[in-house]
Amino acid sequence: MSQFILKITTKIGFKLISAIYIIFLAAYALSFLGYYLEIINPSKFYSTITKNQYYFLDFARYYTFAKMIGLNLGHKLYFPDVQKSVFSSVIYPAKCFDYYVEYPPYNGIIFYPLILFNFNLSYVLFSLLSLIFYFAVITYLKNKLSVNNEFNILYFNLGVFACLPTMYNILLGQINFLIAGSIYLFFAALLFNKPFRYAFVNLFIFCKPHYLFFFSLIPLIKLKFKFLAVSLAVFILLVFISYLCTGFENTFNYPKILYDIHAKGQYQGIVIDSEIVASHVKYIISLRSLFNIFMSKQYAVILSFITFIIGTFASYVVIRKTRFEPGQNFAWSVSLVTLIFVVTCPHFFAQDLIILALPALITMKSLDLGKILEYDIYYKTWSLIFYFYPIWSWANYLLINGNSDWRQYINLGVNLILLFIAFKKFQETSVVAMAG
């Protein structure tokens, strides 16, 4: 009788904790919504940038590239003085600070529709449509890829929205909602062999070369030739339009341009402010942040790229051993590949962490805290990290006294734990798959 009462009391206790947690997440969501509505007010929008130059910064860069193409300045895409002039006009009357843009030239093509609206309205439309796309994809894939359908998708989405990386992406105006959602659909397209249905989303993956490098050959590894052909056709079309709008040099010599900007701090002899080029390095949360402690910047960059290449080929080995059918083997394979990317990518920041919603979505069996505590040690740790991700992502930011270095190391440490667990679980499911 006493055990029965204890069991009931414990169950009620966990239900109460979950209810309080949901209320807490909902309260944050409402407060952030109120803040968002305040800063997008045209009367405060540009003063917000003046007070904090990082607000809407990434979106301003996308908009600047599109604006330069609209002004027929595509051939001068990477000239610092031309960029600064256009960037300043875009955010005027706000002050211009961190303006330099080194994105691929075709980013301006993809974001060209943005200049149909003024900067303020365009940011609002972009952020809202990006959020709708991202959470619509999560909701769509919940029934397609998740281990089971026990947990409430609204609860899950609320938790994702309440995470610090989500706030970063909204306030920066980042493209990560579109890229992460595209990666999710990329795996769904491979699993269900629907290359044409999801082909258009490859446009967003192309916006960040490191994503393109890591994921591009996965269809070939699994002999998905139609998917590869469709993706290649989209990419060729994009490069051709880029050539027409920005010229041969910017389009086909982009890797050298990128190297000169980051390694030499100049473009065609024009010096670029080294602080602008290097200002984001301290916020990197992959293994590169660890390399920066023990060696010079130059050697850290080289080693991080070597590690990234090794991680890319390791992911291909995982894909080759994966059974491409709905189930735990596929779920843990995708989780492992995603975490290899997160840990080894030389250009990965806190805002990029929203990609981890996919491993959580397709592997978590329950959002019931009581059930989570009954799992084995590895799966329990995995589930608890994702269950409390909103809280610890904010705690990591608020409790380290503004020391960005420690925040990045903690993020890296947690991701390494997740990587190890994903590897263990993938091994287990691979043995079961072989036995079956």
Side-chain angles (χ1 to χ4, degrees), residues 62 64-67 69 77 103-113:
Y62 307 137
T64 295
F65 258 29
K67 190 77 170 178
I69 290 174
L77 206 60
Y103 296 149
Y106 49 73
N107 275 28
I109 308 298
I110 294 174
F111 290 100
Y112 189 78

Side-chain angles (χ1 to χ4, degrees), residues 282-408:
K282 64 181 180 180
Y283 298 112
I284 289 173
I285 63 172
S286 62
L287 285 173
R288 182 179 171 185
S289 65
L290 206 58
F291 300 154
N292 286 332
I293 301 175
F294 302 106
M295 59 192 74
S296 68
K297 174 187 172 183
Q298 181 180 2
Y299 287 116
V301 170
I302 293 172
L303 183 56
S304 65
F305 274 99
I306 293 173
T307 305
F308 186 46
I309 292 171
I310 294 172
T312 301
F313 282 100
S315 71
Y316 295 160
V317 172
V318 173
I319 291 296
R320 281 184 62 85
K321 295 182 177 181
T322 301
R323 294 182 64 176
F324 268 61
E325 57 186 43
Q328 291 205 19
N329 181 249
F330 178 78
W332 286 109
S333 169
V334 170
S335 300
L336 179 55
V337 167
T338 302
L339 281 156
I340 291 173
F341 175 75
V342 169
V343 168
T344 64
C345 182
H347 195 75
F348 197 88
F349 302 91
Q351 58 265 27
D352 297 308
L353 285 170
I354 62 168
I355 196 175
L356 292 182
L358 179 61
L361 177 71
I362 63 179
T363 60
M364 290 187 70
K365 296 178 182 178
S366 175
L367 294 179
D368 185 323
L369 192 57
K371 291 182 179 180
I372 289 175
L373 293 176
E374 295 176 357
Y375 299 147
D376 68 80
I377 184 63
Y378 294 118
Y379 191 47
K380 181 192 302 181
T381 303
W382 173 274
S383 300
L384 285 174
I385 288 174
F386 283 121
Y387 185 87
F388 289 110
Y389 210 97
I391 288 180
W392 86 255
S393 67
W394 276 97
N396 183 32
Y397 175 80
L398 296 172
L399 300 180
I400 309 297
N401 297 320
N403 190 323
S404 59
D405 291 339
W406 282 107
R407 292 202 296 266
Q408 314 326 323

Side-chain angles (χ1 to χ4, degrees), residues 86-356:
V86 176
F87 192 101
S88 299
S89 69
V90 164
I91 67 170
Y92 181 81
K95 294 188 299 182
C96 183
F97 174 68
D98 190 355
Y99 70 88
Y100 196 77
V101 190
E102 70 271 34
Y103 296 149
Y106 49 73
N107 275 28
I109 308 298
I110 294 174
F111 290 100
Y112 189 78
L114 294 175
I115 63 175
L116 294 174
F117 309 95
N118 66 44
F119 181 59
N120 186 178
L121 179 58
S122 187
Y123 162 76
V124 175
L125 291 174
F126 173 79
S127 58
L128 292 179
L129 290 176
S130 297
L131 281 167
I132 291 170
F133 171 75
Y134 179 69
F135 285 106
V137 169
I138 288 179
T139 303
Y140 168 71
L141 292 183
K142 191 255 182 176
N143 294 328
K144 291 281 187 178
L145 300 180
S146 57
V147 172
N148 63 43
N149 299 318
E150 180 182 329
F151 65 76
N152 189 313
I153 191 61
L154 293 178
Y155 184 5
F156 182 86
N157 282 339
L158 180 61
V160 174
F161 183 82
C163 291
L164 180 68
T166 299
M167 184 211 70
Y168 273 149
N169 281 286
I170 295 173
L171 296 184
L172 285 171
Q174 252 286 350
I175 192 180
N176 283 323
F177 292 122
L178 298 177
I179 290 181
S182 298
I183 295 295
Y184 302 171
L185 291 177
F186 169 82
F187 282 115
L190 289 174
L191 178 62
F192 300 112
N193 202 25
K194 301 288 185 181
F196 298 99
R197 181 180 298 179
Y198 301 118
F200 73 96
V201 301
N202 287 310
L203 281 173
F204 302 124
I205 300 175
F206 296 151
C207 288
K208 293 194 176 183
H210 43 297
Y211 282 82
L212 178 61
F213 175 82
F214 188 88
F215 292 102
S216 60
L217 292 183
I218 288 178
L220 183 61
I221 301 301
K222 295 306 291 185
L223 304 180
K224 305 284 186 178
F225 296 114
K226 286 184 179 180
F227 190 96
L228 193 64
V230 171
S231 299
L232 187 60
V234 172
F235 184 67
I236 291 173
L237 177 62
L238 194 58
V239 169
F240 177 70
I241 298 174
S242 174
Y243 161 71
L244 294 178
C245 295
T246 68
F248 181 90
E249 175 73 13
N250 291 328
T251 300
F252 295 101
N253 208 26
Y254 174 69
K256 184 180 183 303
I257 292 173
L258 196 63
Y259 173 80
D260 287 344
I261 290 170
H262 284 272
K264 301 179 181 179
Q266 60 91 25
Y267 174 72
Q268 293 191 355
I270 303 173
V271 177
I272 302 169
D273 189 339
S274 59
E275 289 187 8
I276 291 175
V277 176
S279 61
H280 303 308
V281 174
K282 64 181 180 180
Y283 298 112
I284 289 173
I285 63 172
S286 62
L287 285 173
R288 182 179 171 185
S289 65
L290 206 58
F291 300 154
N292 286 332
I293 301 175
F294 302 106
M295 59 192 74
S296 68
K297 174 187 172 183
Q298 181 180 2
Y299 287 116
V301 170
I302 293 172
L303 183 56
S304 65
F305 274 99
I306 293 173
T307 305
F308 186 46
I309 292 171
I310 294 172
T312 301
F313 282 100
S315 71
Y316 295 160
V317 172
V318 173
I319 291 296
R320 281 184 62 85
K321 295 182 177 181
T322 301
R323 294 182 64 176
F324 268 61
E325 57 186 43
Q328 291 205 19
N329 181 249
F330 178 78
W332 286 109
S333 169
V334 170
S335 300
L336 179 55
V337 167
T338 302
L339 281 156
I340 291 173
F341 175 75
V342 169
V343 168
T344 64
C345 182
H347 195 75
F348 197 88
F349 302 91
Q351 58 265 27
D352 297 308
L353 285 170
I354 62 168
I355 196 175
L356 292 182

